[in-house]
Amino acid sequence: MVFRPSALNYMAQFDVVREPDFPELRRVLWCGEVLPTPTLIYWMKRLPHVAFTNLYGPTEATIASSYYTVPACPTDERAEVPIGRPLSGRELLVLNDGLQPAACGDVGDLHIGGVGLSPGVLARPGEDSRSVRP
């Protein structure tokens, strides 16, 4: 099942899921926005038999670019869920201002390459130079 995090938040807010619910469900994927860790904990505790996977991809990628399957229920509500590894046919690079690979621990911008990239920003070509590079 694929969800927007806002839907998962809403259902958690009203405590609508119980542990025996959805016995055949094997995986929950979410994308489109950040899923707050307290909400993830809520779901993972109620559906311990289900794998939970974060899909990440900015608008310019048109579809998901990376994934991360959470290995265990987080114990810290402040822990962030990583964007994970690139999907097949995609490449994730963290580059510095000179468009060179950033050193481990340095700040940089995420650059995504491969299949699924948009050729430009529709009806806003001035934004292409900021978000889309050949």
Side-chain angles (χ1 to χ4, degrees):
M1 246 182 197
V2 179
F3 285 98
R4 295 250 341 173
S6 52
L8 294 171
N9 280 326
Y10 191 72
M11 290 188 283
Q13 179 182 355
F14 290 98
D15 195 20
V16 298
V17 179
R18 299 288 177 255
E19 189 170 328
D21 291 346
F22 309 107
E24 301 299 317
L25 185 62
R26 296 290 169 246
R27 181 176 304 274
V28 169
L29 302 113
W30 70 91
C31 59
E33 52 196 46
V34 174
L35 178 66
T37 303
T39 300
L40 176 61
I41 292 169
Y42 168 89
W43 281 90
M44 291 186 83
K45 285 183 174 179
R46 283 157 183 79
L47 302 175
H49 63 286
V50 174
F52 288 81
T53 301
N54 179 26
L55 298 176
Y56 170 80
T59 301
E60 295 84 3
T62 69
I63 54 175
S65 301
S66 68
Y67 70 97
Y68 179 79
T69 298
V70 180
C73 186
T75 56
D76 182 354
E77 290 188 348
R78 296 167 296 165
E80 295 180 359
V81 177
I83 65 169
R85 306 180 64 77
L87 290 162
S88 178
R90 285 123 178 125
E91 182 178 30
L92 303 178
L93 300 168
V94 178
L95 303 179
N96 62 24
D97 289 339
L99 298 180
Q100 298 299 312
C104 186
D106 284 355
V107 174
D109 291 316
L110 180 62
H111 290 249
I112 300 171
V115 299
L117 292 179
S118 168
V121 180
L122 183 64
R124 293 173 26 202
E127 290 193 29
D128 287 350
S129 63
R130 289 187 313 121
S131 59
V132 179
R133 296 185 190 271

